[in-house]
Structure formats: structure tokens, C-alpha cells
Amino acid sequence: MAKNLVIVESPAKVHTIKKFLGSNYEVMASQGHVRDMPKSQLGFDPENDFEPKYITIRGKGELLAALRKEVKKADKIYLATDPDREGEAISWHLTHALNLQDKKVYRITFNEITKTAVKNSLKNPREIDMDLVDAQQARRMLDRMVGYKISPLLWAKVKRGLSAGRVQSVALRIICDREKEIEQFIPQEYYTLDVLLDAKDAKKPIVAKYYGDTSGKKDISDKESLDNIMSDLKGADFNIASIKRGTREKKAPLPFTTSTMQQEASKALNFSIQKTMSVAQQLYEGVSVKGHGTIGLITYLRTDSTRVSDEARAAAEQFITGNYGQEYLSAPVNTGKKNNGKVQDAHEAIRPANIEMIPSEIKESLTRDQFRLYQLVWKRFVASQMANAVYDTVSLNVQAKNHVFTASDSSIKFDGFMMIYVSADDEAESKTHPLSKLTEDTKLGFNSFEEKQHFTQPAPHFTEASLVKTLEELGIGRPSTYSPTITTLLKRHYITKEAKNLFVTELGEVVNSIMEASFPIIVDDKFTANLELLLDGVEEGTVEWKSVVRNFYPDLEKAVEVAEEELAKVEIHDEVTDVICEECGRNMVIKFGPHGKFLACPGFPECRNTKPFLEKIGVPCPKCGGDVVIRKSQKGRKFFGCANHPECDFISWSKPTTEKCPKCGTYMVEKGNKLVCANDDCRFVENQNK
Ligand SMILES: [Zn+2]
Ligand SMILES: [Zn+2]
Ligand SMILES: [Zn+2]
């Protein structure tokens, strides 16, 4: 009997697939990559047209020997690594590492680990797609160039062990920019004015918002304007000028891609990006489900496509019509934007492998996290194939003298997809609809005003979810890179996470400022986005991979040379302070640790004294007159505090100054090139004289 060998990436799949294929198939796992460029060197030769040098990854020798033994016994070899660039590259490396050139070798891919999908893949084998492999090779080499060429410079300038990364450094810059923007943001005062109006038959008053006057929209930017409007309206009649009724459709969502799944799981389930990917991996590789054995519950988790296969659509049609009724089915087919190129056509959205695996029915076979993520994927997919929701809408123009107020209201007419899925972004709709009964003749009676002072808010801090969204919008991220990029930044202590917000650490700031000064191209998002497009071009067969590498390398080399020269000019010394080491009497120096600057004794190693570095900013504490110093929260976020802590509890996110507010006498803080009063009720702004 013919013997076949199937090689997959992950050991978790071996058992499942073996069971699907029966005794004629031996299934083994490569356990990820088997070959890579050597760690100790760049790994390719710029003098020899960038030919990469690959060696067996340390520790993989035994595994390869075991694989070779099985290869000898097999007539046909099926390479079944993951269906993306990286998987293709692993298959290609396997053909070399296992000397498969003279063997009958077939590349097979399946988007889901189910019996049907795996068996079908065997009927549709192909050759290794070198375009995919080359896109992966080019990415690896570009990443390596940046890492291997720039990291040593960071070591020399800041501290050993730091790293730069092609995508990681742009992401860090984007976070730093946002932090700067927030730090320098000056809130602007504005007011809103609501009028509560009584209408006949209405249980609650109608709330209409100030819009402007009959000539157009007006903002209320100070208290005086507000008071003028209110006094002008004293005793005025409020009349309905117009009522508009209509309907509005709310579109069913698209099925998940990697990025949207990460964002939604973060918002709805409070999962970190890394956790989402690890749980999704389990769901994809196979879970033991009571009565079904081990099966893959969702399709491949790294994808930027929203395409839905014809089979999956047909199954969804049957499920929705059978369970909810014909009117709940979307028409035409909701497959989302058609991605161009052969690449995406082969890919699919993330969806349940079998729609009949209803989350609540298999709950007891899943862990809590698996269940919650599976339910999210399942509901999102079913919703994506359902009809849009429809709302009845009413909008109202109310006039009093020449002032205009507006009110609007909507009520659900047909729930459509919302019957099973409401995204975390959608606010709960109000249940009462006081506007529904109004006509243009309805008499309104003035009840009261509700006026409110507001201040404009800065852009929010990045969260993992919003960073992924931004990276995708800028064209920087790819499904396989979002999670590793964020994980690396956190692991290196360049950023820190407090609650859900991401903050830059002191170390991150230092690394970013060096990158911005010496390698502006590397941290330029347009440059990085363009490089990603070129890699997509390689995958599609329209760009030659070595041309990407050839064009990139000289620019990088030159930038590194210049940076090295600059570095040689400025001798790097540890900054000496006036703090005396109490153990040996030497002046202590400033060092960089994972949590930012600290003081160390230069007598190391015979004196190992270290202590926290309290950097004085030369401003007395507004509370107690002590020194204001730069401090860090437990997670590494920078703030200004008092050296007399804990006796004095003064803290400020913005840098305090010695200036006093001319209006209220409170101390002022720096915001960009302006001084702002620290008193929340005053917020006086003064342009700094420079
Ligand atoms: Zn000492
Ligand atoms: Zn103090
Ligand atoms: Zn003030």
C-alpha cells in the first residue's frame, strides 16, 4: 500500500489530521521554521547580490532526522504548512532541508481544519509558489537589515540589548507623536445649551439642542454668548418649524479579518491582541468537541480578506433562512470589498468552520476564553450574511425668535442582523421615543434650559485596538505583524500599558528620538507603507524580490555610516551627577535600565550601589516648596512629583513652572510653547515669551 507523508507546522494539528486521513498517511509537524539565517551574522551577502545564507535552526537537527526517516518510507510528500507567506516559506525550506528535490512533493493548503477541507486539499495539490516564498524572504531580510544595522548603534548610545525594528520603530514613533500631541493639547472652552420643551401627550419633555440661528450653525464659545442667547429667549415662543421623517439603514458588518477581530475582541471581551491570537490559534488548530472529536472551529486566523467562500455562504443562507426566516437573509451576497490580486483571492475572512456548531451548544467543550472568542466570530459571521437593520427616524427643527434648536430620534423598524450581533461600538439605543407622535402643529411649552460648560478633549491615548486600527489604516501592518509588533514594544519596555491605554516610557522616548534624528526614513510611515506594498507586489508576482532588497540596502547603509560618524564625534560618557555614593564616596553616574534612568556607582564591580535617579527640574513644589522631580509610575509612565513624597502628594502630568496665573494665582504648567493654569476651573492660557 502507498505510504504518504503530510507535514504540518504545528504539533497540535497532527492528531486531528491523522484521524481525518486514515492509516495510509503519516502526519508530522515541522514545529515552525526549520531553517533561518544565522543569528551571529547579517545572513546575506550584499557583495553577492544579497544571496541569503540559511542554516538549520539550532535544536531542530533531531526533528529533521526524524522527518528524513519518514521521507524515505514515503512515496508522496504533502507539505501542509499554514496558508500564508510564512507557511509557504516553511514548505520551501523543508524541501531543501529534507532534500526533497527528487521526491514527489505536493504543496497543499486548507483554510480550516475539517475533514472535508483537508480531504479536498489532497485533491488540489500544487507546486510551491515562489512568489509567496520570495515575499517572505524579502521581508525577513529587510527586517534583519534594520535590526542588525541599527541595534548596535542604540547599544552604543543608550544601553546594550536595545533593538530597532522595521515596523516596530514606526509604531513607536506613532505612539510617541500621539503622546506629544496629548501633552501639548490646550483645552478650548465651549458651551452647549439644551432646551426642555413640554408637548401635549408626551410623558417626558422633549430635549432640543441649540443649533444656531436662521442663518446657520453657531458655536457658543464663551459664557457671555451663552448668557446673551438665554436672556434673548426669555419668554419667547418655541415652535416646531419642520419635522422630517424617514428611514435609515444600518449595514450588516463584514466578517472578521485579523485586524477587526483583534479590535473587537479587545473592546467586547477585554482581550489583549496577543491573547486573541493565541485563543484563535487554538480554535483554528482544533478543539475536542463532545460528539465530534477534535475539529478546527474557525478558519485561518491571519488574513486581511473579507471574502466568504461559496460553500460557507450557502451554509449561512440555509442556517439563516431556517432559523430566522427569509427576510433576515442579506441580498445581494455580503462579501465585502473585493480585494485585488491573486493573493487575497485565495484568502478568506475569519469565520466558523461549520456554522452548525452553535456556540451555546458546544460551550461545555470549550474553555471560557475559547467560548467567548468563538461566539464572537460565529455571531459576527452570521450577522455579516444577514439583512441590514432599518430605523425609523424623526428630526425636528424648533425655532424661537431667530434661534434654532434641533432634536432627533430613531426607533428600530426591522432588526435584521442586530437580532444576533451588536458591535461594541454601537451605543444602546434609547427606548423611549418622545418625538414619534409630534406633528408640525404640536404646541410646545418652555420648561427649562440646561446649559453646560465643556472643554475640548485631546485625542485619546492609543489602546492596542486603536493602534492596530491606525497601523492598518496607514498601510503599515499586516495580519501576521500586528501582534508581534505590540508585544515587542511592551517586552522592550519602550511602551507600557495602564488599564487599556498605551504610554511611552522614558526609554521609548530616548530610542524614538535617536531613530527620528538618525533614521527618519525607518520611522516614516509612508516609506514603510510603500515597502509593504512592494512586498505585496512580490507576492503577486509583479515585483522582483531582490530589487526591493537591493534598493533599500544602500540608503540604510549610508544612514548608519552617518550616524556612526556622529557617534564618534560625541564621546559617550555616563553623565556624572553631584550625588555622592554613600558606600565609597564616588560621584554617581546616570545609567539606563528597563524602567528608565537610574543612578549607579562608577566603582562597579567593587561597589554595586544603585539608587533611583530623581531628576530635579529646578522648580519648587507648589505645595511644600521642595524640589519637583521627574518620577515614573509603577509601569513606567512619566510624571512630575515632589521629592518629599510620600510626605507631600503633589503630582502633575504636565511640567510645572515658577509662573503664577495672572487670573487666579495658581501655578502654571507647560503645554508646548504655552503656559496653562493648572487650576481646572480657570485654565487660563498664556503665550510664553520666547
Ligand atoms: Zn560606590
Ligand atoms: Zn511638595
Ligand atoms: Zn488660573
Side-chain angles (χ1 to χ4, degrees), residues 283-488:
L283 293 171
Y284 161 69
E285 287 186 340
V287 177
S288 169
V289 177
K290 225 183 204 172
H292 297 272
T294 302
I295 42 164
L297 286 177
I298 64 169
T299 53
Y300 192 53
L301 59 151
R302 289 181 196 88
T303 176
D304 54 10
S305 171
T306 51
R307 195 179 72 88
V308 172
S309 72
D310 294 341
E311 297 78 19
R313 168 65 191 179
E317 279 177 10
Q318 206 177 4
F319 184 87
I320 293 163
T321 328
N323 286 280
Y324 309 116
Q326 186 71 37
E327 70 275 24
Y328 278 91
L329 190 64
S330 74
V333 183
N334 186 6
T335 53
K337 61 171 189 269
K338 264 271 183 279
N339 290 304
N340 45 7
K342 69 167 192 187
V343 182
Q344 279 82 2
D345 279 347
H347 290 167
E348 253 201 86
I350 304 170
R351 58 167 172 80
N354 179 357
I355 199 172
E356 300 288 345
M357 287 285 181
I358 296 164
S360 58
E361 290 175 7
I362 60 169
K363 189 173 180 179
E364 59 181 65
S365 301
L366 306 179
T367 65
R368 178 175 146 84
D369 288 341
Q370 286 171 345
F371 169 73
R372 293 170 77 209
L373 187 63
Y374 178 62
Q375 177 169 257
L376 193 68
V377 172
W378 187 92
K379 285 189 168 182
R380 172 81 168 218
F381 172 68
V382 178
S384 76
Q385 305 303 306
M386 290 174 79
N388 294 344
V390 184
Y391 289 87
D392 282 322
T393 59
V394 191
S395 61
L396 200 65
N397 258 344
V398 174
Q399 223 173 297
K401 293 174 99 171
N402 67 336
H403 299 281
V404 178
F405 289 77
T406 59
S408 61
D409 190 11
S410 63
S411 58
I412 207 149
K413 186 181 184 189
F414 173 62
D415 56 357
F417 76 91
M418 291 178 83
M419 174 191 249
I420 65 154
Y421 183 86
V422 179
S423 139
D425 285 335
D426 295 322
E427 303 149 31
E429 301 275 336
S430 79
K431 289 269 153 58
T432 57
H433 302 286
L435 302 187
S436 55
K437 286 180 191 151
L438 297 182
T439 71
E440 294 193 357
D441 304 323
T442 307
K443 282 270 166 287
L444 301 175
F446 175 83
N447 177 312
S448 58
F449 280 128
E450 265 177 16
E451 68 274 22
K452 250 190 213 139
Q453 184 194 32
H454 304 266
F455 286 94
T456 51
Q457 296 293 317
H461 292 282
F462 272 117
T463 60
E464 290 192 354
S466 66
L467 183 63
V468 167
K469 188 166 185 237
T470 301
L471 292 178
E472 184 176 44
E473 279 166 2
L474 293 173
I476 293 171
R478 290 295 180 268
S480 57
T481 60
Y482 302 124
S483 177
T485 299
I486 295 174
T487 306
T488 306

Side-chain angles (χ1 to χ4, degrees), residues 18 117 120 285 356 435 534 543 619 626 632:
K18 204 178 230 166
N120 276 341
E285 287 186 340
E356 300 288 345
L435 302 187
L534 287 172
V543 176
V619 172
K632 261 145 279 158

Side-chain angles (χ1 to χ4, degrees), residues 581-586 601-603 607-609:
C581 172
E582 66 273 19
E583 301 196 356
C584 72
R586 291 180 175 97
C601 180
C607 177
R608 292 167 178 264
N609 190 20

Side-chain angles (χ1 to χ4, degrees), residues 660-668 676-685:
K660 293 274 175 285
C661 172
K663 262 174 96 180
C664 73
T666 308
Y667 69 96
M668 312 266 293
V676 179
C677 174
N679 177 357
D680 275 349
D681 298 323
C682 172
R683 304 201 199 207
F684 178 78
V685 179

Side-chain angles (χ1 to χ4, degrees), residues 505-556:
T505 63
E506 195 177 6
L507 187 60
E509 260 176 37
V510 171
V511 168
N512 184 56
S513 64
I514 293 172
M515 291 300 293
E516 278 189 318
S518 304
F519 304 97
I521 282 247
I522 302 295
V523 293
D524 181 78
D525 51 78
K526 289 188 193 71
F527 176 81
T528 307
N530 190 43
L531 217 46
E532 293 291 341
L533 283 178
L534 287 172
L535 292 178
D536 289 349
V538 173
E539 178 166 356
E540 280 154 30
T542 55
V543 176
E544 200 250 319
W545 76 281
K546 281 207 178 159
S547 74
V548 182
V549 181
R550 265 184 230 123
N551 289 333
F552 180 71
Y553 190 75
D555 289 346
L556 179 71

Side-chain angles (χ1 to χ4, degrees), residues 570-599:
V570 207
E571 259 314 308
I572 301 294
H573 291 296
D574 291 327
E575 199 183 322
V576 182
T577 67
D578 55 6
V579 179
I580 305 294
C581 172
E582 66 273 19
E583 301 196 356
C584 72
R586 291 180 175 97
N587 280 62
M588 296 189 82
V589 297
I590 300 168
K591 294 263 187 203
F592 250 104
H595 303 291
K597 290 177 184 167
F598 66 98
L599 289 176

